[in-house]
């Protein structure tokens, strides 16, 4: 494993950065001076306790002097302490992640180079001296570990992938024509177990390039064209409302429609024998059992209408909520007497009709 042998010494930024980011001048107000005096007193006490139990060292003395000077010179001493605490926390995390980062690089056969170069933003893989090398900032070891650890692992459960892994191109994702890639440029994948647990259909991208070429499928198509009576068109996984249509259909017409969503929309492409019949893209917009086949332009118009209606619906709902404050429940006894009176009235009408006949 090729690593920068001095990387561990530079996991905390230089003191000049601390001073630049926290100390803004020498004009202290009364509160700042009070805060500084209190914090310095605590630092002195802690330093004395560390020396008393045998933890003292020249390095600790130097660090203590630096802390005291930064607090004394800062406009906001509490902000200085908070910033240093954050740096120390990051340093501890980076130090803990360094062995794990080295191990992950070894797993992937990658070299590792840590640097203090401020122009290095995110960790990346470069070829250095003929070897693929992870290059990362020394103060961003934890970030680099997260990126390297993900390579070759399932996006969902982080287990190492085998030959049954599938592209991370789930059917319920937004339509896209490119798979997501990791820091090495490889496609991000999920294991077969996590895919089965998702309950989603395979996309054409997950079925592979041979499938897409055979059926002229776009990557997001979820139709199984080998199934009996399979559709000749291509369909994206629908975006659906969680509310079922039967819950809002008071006529009961949708009650036996196998739990259809209240609203649903999906992209459908028809390209069967395109040389003869062309290629047509539509948005299928469903309201329960009702289906509208819209062109993209018509779907855009419908979207605008829906947005406007949502604002009106918000007003109606607010008005209904306000009026509903005066609502009250039924009285079962009065309701029973009313039904009995209605039954007697109907019986009288029927008797009168029979005598008239």
């Amino acid at each position: 494993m090729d690593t920068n042998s001095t990387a561990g010494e530079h996991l905390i930024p230089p003191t000049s950065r601390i001073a630049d980011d926290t100390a803004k001048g020498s004009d202290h107000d009364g509160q700042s001076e009070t805060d500084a005096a209190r914090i310095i007193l605590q630092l002195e006490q802690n330093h004395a306790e560390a020396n008393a139990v045998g933890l003292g060292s020249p390095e600790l003395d130097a660090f203590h002097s630096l802390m005291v000077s930064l607090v004394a010179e800062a406009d906001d001493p509490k902000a200085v302490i908070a910033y240093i605490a954050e740096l120390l926390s990051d340093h501890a995390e980076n130090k803990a992640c360094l062995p794990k980062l080295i191990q992950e690089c070894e797993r992937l056969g990658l070299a590792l180079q840590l640097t203090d170069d401020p122009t290095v933003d995110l960790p990346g893989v470069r070829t250095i001296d003929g070897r693929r090398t992870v290059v990362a900032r020394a103060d961003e070891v934890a970030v680099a570990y997260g990126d390297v650890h993900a390579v070759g692992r399932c996006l969902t459960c982080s287990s190492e992938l085998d030959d049954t892994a599938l592209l991370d191109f789930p059917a319920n994702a937004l339509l896209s024509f490119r798979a997501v890639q990791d820091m090495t440029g490889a496609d991000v994948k999920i294991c077969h177990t996590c895919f089965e647990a998702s309950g989603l259909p395979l996309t054409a991208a997950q079925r592979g390039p041979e499938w897409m070429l055979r059926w002229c499928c776009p990557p997001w198509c979820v139709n199984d064209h080998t199934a009996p009576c399979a559709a000749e068109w291509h369909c994206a996984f629908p975006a659906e409302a969680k509310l079922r249509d039967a819950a809002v259909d008071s006529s009961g017409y949708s009650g036996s429609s196998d739990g259809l969503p209240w609203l649903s929309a999906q992209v459908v492409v028809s390209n069967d024998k395109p040389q003869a019949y062309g290629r047509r893209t539509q948005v299928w917009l469903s309201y329960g059992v009702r289906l509208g086949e819209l062109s993209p332009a018509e779907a855009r118009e419908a979207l605008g209408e829906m947005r406007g209606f949502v604002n009106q619906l918000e007003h109606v709902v607010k008005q209904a909520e306000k009026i509903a404050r005066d609502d009250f429940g039924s009285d079962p006894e009065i309701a029973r007497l009313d039904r009995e009176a209605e039954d007697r009235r109907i019986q009288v009408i029927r008797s009168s009709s029979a005598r008239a006949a």
Side-chain angles (χ1 to χ4, degrees), residues 309-328:
F309 179 73
V310 165
N311 294 331
Q312 298 177 47
L313 179 60
E314 175 73 17
H315 175 74
V316 170
V317 171
K318 286 182 178 179
Q319 186 179 25
E321 289 172 338
K322 184 177 180 180
I323 296 172
R325 294 170 188 167
D326 295 329
D327 289 356
F328 52 88

Side-chain angles (χ1 to χ4, degrees), residues 1-3 97-108 110 112 114 141 145 148:
M1 171 54 56
D2 296 334
T3 59
C97 286
L98 183 57
K100 296 188 288 186
L101 173 59
I102 294 173
Q103 184 178 10
E104 287 298 297
C105 287
E106 290 176 343
R107 173 178 68 89
L108 299 169
L110 300 172
L112 173 63
L114 301 181
V141 170
Y145 167 68
V148 177

Side-chain angles (χ1 to χ4, degrees), residues 94 97-98 100-101 104-105 112-114 121-124 134-151 183:
N94 286 332
C97 286
L98 183 57
K100 296 188 288 186
L101 173 59
E104 287 298 297
C105 287
L112 173 63
Q113 184 177 96
L114 301 181
D121 185 14
L122 296 175
V134 175
V135 179
R137 287 236 308 263
D139 59 345
E140 295 288 350
V141 170
V143 175
Y145 167 68
D147 289 347
V148 177
H149 181 265
V151 176
M183 68 182 303

